[in-house]
Amino acid sequence: MKKTIPIHNKDFLLNESKVFCMFPWMHLNVTPKGDIYPCCSNNYSTPYGNTKEISLETAFNLDEMKQLRLNMLNNEPSKICEFCYKHEEAGPHSFRNYSKDNWATRFDELVPNTLEDGTVEDFKMRYFDIRFSNICNFKCRTCGAEFSSQWAAENRHHDKTLPIIMHADDGKGKLLEEVLTHIDHIDLAYFAGGEPLITEEHYVMLEEMIRKGRTDITLRYNTNASNIKYKNHDLLSLWKNFKRVELSCSVDHYGERAEWIRHGTDWGQVESNLITLRNLDYVVFQINTVFSIFNYSTIGEFYNYLKEKNLVQTNDWYHSLYLAVHPSYYSAKSLPRELKDIARVKAQQFCESNGDQYQGVTRLVTDAINFADNGDTWEENKKMFFKHTLYHDALRKEDFAKTFPELAILQDLKD
């Protein structure tokens, strides 16, 4: 008879442990290349497998997954989880802590079923995050070909053999078929990309959820807000069937800065869509911003603009500020110290002016300040910063220094 591991420290694991996470018991993340990870905060580590070769069912109990569970139960850190550990050095917000905050109620159902070797025999996907393909209409500076077909097309300028479209199962449909078998179990479905609102599998899943009466599933999106209509699908009408739709719109700045950071952006169209989405009474709206070397110096100006447009409101439950670690040359940690000091003062002034009414945003900015201050990496990254920035400027007919005059001084620090 197979033996399970006795769990006597539930309270410690959920409330005190610095390594325990719920996701290895209820989730797998898949990238557009088909690489399988225990979650999306994977620190760009070696994948645990690939969906072109194995099923999700098999992947859930690979040796790496079993060892990860055992490490967590024994309060031992795992290298693949370092992304969350680093975020927690700046503040309490991390994907690991999020898992406990939102799925602690599943603990008794899932964790005590762990066998002595780390196996969990009955895989029920409670949290969905499968990136079926890299199809996207943007090529954001902090992204790459794996998550953007536009990036992939651009990469063919220097290598004609590179693929443009990447699909997690080469478009065979087997991965989608397996995911559909988990619809009965899903609590929250997170759609990201690529760009999920122009991804066919996303609409197949919504229609199957509606058909099966699983409209209690929370839908969550990370979208560039460029398209709210796709082929013959009436997205806004589909959303009306669900009890909760959480919309996270990826916006890192406004105007020409937005168009430079996320190439493909038509700011006028995106802003119009944001206002439309913000005003939907059946959607929980938030802004998701990548905090980077490009917007640290003007992060307060950015949020003030969103306030003026009523896109950030005093009663909002949440916005997110993703602390970019990769690529390291675009991390806010790489801003030279003299510019970082200026940026910090401006960001702190924003927090002081808005702390009473916009506590959610100012808390995020405070964590971001701490993150940026925890390390100065300009010297080790400046060569790669200019190599990539100037190369893509030339290819896209853009000009970093003109778009970000507050950062133009970086050119004087090139050598």
Side-chain angles (χ1 to χ4, degrees), residues 48 50-51 126 137 147 153 160 162 183 201-202 217 295 315 355 384:
Y48 285 1
N50 191 281
T51 51
R126 297 297 183 184
N137 54 340
F147 296 97
K160 300 296 184 185
L162 295 174
I183 282 180
E201 290 89 347
H202 157 250
I217 294 174
N295 59 10
N315 61 345
M384 294 299 289

Side-chain angles (χ1 to χ4, degrees), residues 189 191 195-197 202-203 206-207 209-210 215-223 225 227-229 233-249 273 276-278 280-285:
F191 295 101
E195 170 49 38
L197 300 189
H202 157 250
Y203 294 94
L206 291 194
E207 289 167 353
M209 290 173 185
I210 294 170
T215 54
D216 58 323
I217 294 174
T218 296
L219 305 182
R220 178 174 294 166
Y221 292 86
N222 193 317
T223 173
N227 288 274
I228 54 178
K229 293 183 180 180
H233 300 289
D234 188 342
L235 177 64
L236 303 189
S237 293
L238 288 171
W239 281 348
K240 287 182 179 179
N241 291 279
F242 291 84
K243 291 184 178 179
R244 186 172 180 88
V245 180
E246 299 174 1
L247 195 60
S248 181
C249 297
N273 288 344
T276 295
L277 297 169
R278 167 87 263 192
L280 295 175
D281 58 7
Y282 53 89
V283 166
V284 179
F285 178 92

Side-chain angles (χ1 to χ4, degrees), residues 251-283:
V251 183
D252 300 335
H253 228 301
Y254 64 93
E256 63 179 354
R257 289 187 178 96
E259 294 177 346
W260 188 97
I261 295 174
R262 294 182 178 270
H263 185 96
T265 298
D266 175 340
W267 179 248
Q269 182 61 59
V270 168
E271 182 178 83
S272 176
N273 288 344
L274 290 172
I275 292 170
T276 295
L277 297 169
R278 167 87 263 192
N279 290 328
L280 295 175
D281 58 7
Y282 53 89
V283 166

Side-chain angles (χ1 to χ4, degrees), residues 75-133:
N75 203 38
E76 297 176 2
S78 300
K79 184 174 179 57
I80 201 167
C81 300
E82 287 181 350
F83 186 86
C84 280
Y85 304 156
K86 289 180 180 178
H87 269 59
E88 290 165 18
E89 290 174 2
H93 304 288
S94 73
F95 207 42
R96 184 186 74 85
N97 284 329
Y98 168 81
S99 79
K100 296 189 296 180
D101 291 343
N102 288 271
W103 277 279
T105 55
R106 293 285 188 190
F107 184 98
D108 292 338
E109 166 196 332
L110 300 172
V111 180
N113 293 326
T114 310
L115 302 183
E116 289 181 327
D117 69 347
T119 296
V120 175
E121 294 184 311
D122 188 14
F123 175 37
K124 293 180 179 178
M125 186 187 297
R126 297 297 183 184
Y127 175 60
F128 163 86
D129 179 8
I130 306 291
R131 320 292 174 93
F132 290 103
S133 75

Side-chain angles (χ1 to χ4, degrees), residues 307-325:
K307 286 166 47 189
E308 291 171 6
K309 295 293 181 177
N310 211 32
L311 294 170
V312 168
Q313 300 175 3
T314 56
N315 61 345
D316 287 343
W317 71 283
Y318 188 67
H319 291 286
S320 61
L321 194 56
Y322 178 86
L323 307 177
V325 175

